[in-house]
Amino acid sequence: MATKLTGPVRVRFPPSPTGALHVGGARTAIYNDLLRRSLGGSMILRIEDTDRQRSDPEMVAQIQRALAWLGIEADEGPFLQSDRVEEHRAAARRLLEEGKAYHCFRTAEEVEEKRREAEKRGQTSFYRVFFEPPTPEEVARRLEAGESYAVRFRMPKGDIQFHDLVRGDVTFAEAVLDDFIILRSDGSPTYHLSVVCDDAHGGVTHVIRGEDHLSNVPKHIGLYRALGAEVPTFGHLPLIMGPDRKRLSKRTGAASVEEFRDQGILPQALYNFLALLGWSPGDDREVMSREEMTEAFTVERLVSSAAIFDYDKLRWMNAQYLSGEPLEEILSRLAPFLDEVGLADADAERLAAAVDLHRTRAYYLQELAGYIVPYFRERLDYDEDLCRKFLGQADLPAQLDLLTERFGAIEPFDLDGIETAIRGLAAEVEVKAGVLIHPTRMALSASKAGPSLFHLVEAMGQEASVRHLGNFTAYLRERSGSVEA
Ligand code: GLU
């Protein structure tokens, strides 16, 4: 039966700095964040850097940047796991002294041979089946001789059972459990020892992490008990699969938090999207603020089936946030993308008007920045294919000359004035308003689609509208001269 959780909780997020923060890791951090927020308590950030060869200091910084970008702030840390190696070694020594672990002098080849033999017999547990721990005399003799050794934990007999917050009751039968190394022969602690020591030291009450760690739980429970520490509550989240139902990776698209950031996904959208990838609020709400998610969050609604990463849904979610967040927020998130297209110094007022006009049509910040470019570029490049229809309209350049003139005379340059100028001229030259509206849109944005034209012209402003219209008319004259009538 699911137990109702009560706070305060102490949770942790302990990434290994071997690569950029993956969306799977980010989702784990999000559920820990939501649990801590909803029940009260604190979250520890611990960098699990004990694997020196694979750890990269640049990745530590990268992970911290990605978490900060997502708005996930730990209450304690970051701690480096490597700072507590001496404590981990001391724990191994204590277990040795208490007979809960033993010296292991076996060579890797010997162990591997027995492992294969066990595999052939269909056994998963082999160490304690094939090898007797050395006698105290043997240990003394081999230590005396200076032989190197690892420390192996003596896994207690019996099945291991626990209640997982996501998967329910889980049992690991004795037959699959085995003794395992906690200190390597070079004196370095293994992940199992370090993680248990550090979680116990930090007073962690709930361990929420990826399903790939489920099979480690019996080892960890064995160690907690042997060390006399309280066993935390576990919850193992299903893996995130790509649309091809394989593990999400670069092959299927972006997989790290910073890749999504660089594509122009908003952190609020990614947080919301990932939170729903394995949890639901129990109703049909999808776009939810962090406060709403915190309010609705319960571990009972974490789901145990694999989550499929739906890129289209993330795109949709991002569009919702681009339309709905305060304009100030969008402008500040857009800044690096404007920088990339050379618009770092764009006039703030015109920029705000243009962004507000286009943001409901964009899926990504990058795309939104693209819509803004025509507002600030001296000249636009027109695509001949898109303009073919206008090139065939012999009267158009003269009509656009008149419109350019009228645009220059509108005072004040507002929606009413713009609409009157276009509709008035259309009536005078006896064409439908669309005959002027479509080329004007092309002139001002080099595109066939966009927001309402009158709004577009207003946001563009008088000077730029007159300039683009003039340039476009010149382009039409020049190109139609070279196009067969
Ligand atoms: N450092 C581990 C990882 O990144 C986390 C282990 C854990 O949560 O216990 O997979």
Side-chain angles (χ1 to χ4, degrees), residues 259-294:
E259 280 173 290
F260 286 106
R261 181 200 62 193
D262 295 345
Q263 281 181 359
I265 296 288
L266 292 166
Q268 300 89 321
L270 188 60
Y271 189 109
N272 190 165
F273 171 80
L274 290 175
L276 294 181
L277 214 53
W279 171 77
S280 98
D283 50 39
D284 55 9
R285 277 180 297 170
E286 295 207 288
V287 178
M288 296 174 77
S289 69
R290 202 163 300 195
E291 289 65 35
E292 288 167 325
M293 285 186 270
T294 301

Side-chain angles (χ1 to χ4, degrees), residues 12 14-16 48 191 195 199 207 209 212-213 220:
R12 39 50 131 206
S16 305
E48 301 211 316
Y191 155 71
V195 80
D199 284 346
V207 169
R209 61 186 171 189
D212 43 336
H213 289 290
H220 297 178

